[in-house]
Amino acid sequence: MDQDCATLARLLRMTSRRRPASRRRERTRHKRVEILKSAAAAFRRRGYHGASMAEISRALRMTKGSLYYYFRNKEEILYFCHDHSLDILLDLLEDVEADGRAPDDKLRRLVVSFVHMIIDELQGTALTMDLQALSPPLLRKVIAKRDRFDRGVRRVLQDGMDRGVFARGDPKLLAFAILGAVNWITRWFDPRGPASSEEIGEAFADYLLAGLRA
């Protein structure tokens, strides 16, 4: 569990390093991620349309003017929420696919880290949240990245089937089931509850892998 969280933290740093390396830009990106987490919590409580820029700025103890310095509008926050999170998941996928572990170990890492992303990075907000609120150009960008991650999960599943680790099935449908199960966490997750993201991630990985094994 600790290794998976450490890997995700490392990938977060790698994602930041691939952006232009000036100190000012790094500080700006760090602040945008901080705003993202506060906005994601507001979106979870009130929904995208119900959460206002004023509410987000109050949670951060910022003026609305300061918030607008980092994001032009609420749609830009929503887009960054998806884009930033998908960048991290795609980095994770690349790291997992390059790893020499068995397919079931690879899938476990993906599931545990995805759960950690949903609960800790996105404050219990689903990556499917309010996609239609994005303008068509931004929506196409998010869907393209989401589909890349989806295809990567399918490749891990297909590899597991080919090697006899997983029972035969439709990788596309199985990927939908896995990703849908993780995104559904947002419907019942209570941050005041006793289970940590690592515990929930491991439990989900146990259940999902048990249903896949040959």
Side-chain angles (χ1 to χ4, degrees):
M1 291 187 292
D2 291 340
Q3 182 181 7
D4 290 318
C5 291
T7 298
L8 187 58
R10 178 170 59 82
L11 290 170
L12 278 161
R13 293 193 296 271
M14 289 170 58
T15 302
S16 295
R17 284 200 296 269
R18 278 205 294 270
R19 304 299 191 272
S22 73
R23 291 181 183 176
R24 181 177 179 182
R25 289 178 181 175
E26 287 178 4
R27 286 197 300 267
T28 297
R29 183 168 183 81
H30 178 78
K31 188 63 178 181
R32 282 165 66 89
V33 172
E34 181 184 342
I35 292 170
L36 178 154
K37 292 184 178 183
S38 180
F43 293 158
R44 180 178 62 82
R45 290 192 304 269
R46 301 175 60 83
Y48 171 73
H49 295 288
S52 67
M53 291 288 275
E55 180 181 0
I56 295 167
S57 64
R58 282 197 302 271
L60 289 160
R61 297 181 180 177
M62 296 174 65
T63 65
K64 286 178 66 176
S66 297
L67 181 57
Y68 282 117
Y69 172 81
Y70 293 100
F71 291 101
R72 290 174 295 179
N73 50 44
K74 195 165 61 172
E75 183 195 25
E76 193 173 74
I77 297 178
L78 179 64
Y79 172 71
F80 184 70
C81 180
H82 286 281
D83 189 62
H84 172 73
S85 304
L86 286 165
D87 277 348
I88 294 170
L89 289 176
L90 288 170
D91 281 338
L92 172 68
L93 176 65
E94 182 180 350
D95 189 63
V96 165
E97 289 196 292
D99 197 329
R101 299 187 193 189
D104 51 345
D105 288 335
K106 290 182 178 182
L107 188 60
R108 174 175 289 279
R109 286 187 64 200
L110 286 173
V111 170
V112 171
S113 296
F114 190 18
V115 170
H116 175 65
M117 166 73 74
I118 291 291
I119 292 176
D120 295 330
E121 293 300 315
L122 297 184
Q123 305 295 303
T125 302
L127 275 175
T128 55
M129 177 197 67
D130 294 306
L131 274 177
Q132 300 308 316
L134 295 173
S135 61
L138 295 181
L139 178 61
R140 285 193 293 270
K141 289 181 180 181
V142 169
I143 289 176
K145 287 189 176 182
R146 187 189 64 185
D147 288 348
R148 282 173 56 196
F149 183 69
D150 175 70
R151 289 193 297 270
V153 174
R154 294 184 210 177
R155 287 194 297 271
V156 173
L157 289 166
Q158 185 64 62
D159 181 43
M161 294 175 197
D162 294 342
R163 294 167 64 176
V165 177
F166 300 145
R168 285 287 169 185
D170 185 336
K172 181 177 180 179
L173 292 179
L174 291 171
F176 285 160
I178 291 169
L179 300 180
V182 175
N183 268 309
W184 195 258
I185 288 173
T186 62
R187 300 290 183 176
W188 53 261
F189 174 70
D190 184 347
R192 298 167 298 182
S196 68
S197 62
E198 289 82 7
E199 291 169 328
I200 294 172
E202 289 291 341
F204 264 58
D206 286 343
Y207 299 146
L208 292 169
L209 284 166
L212 290 169
R213 296 189 191 281

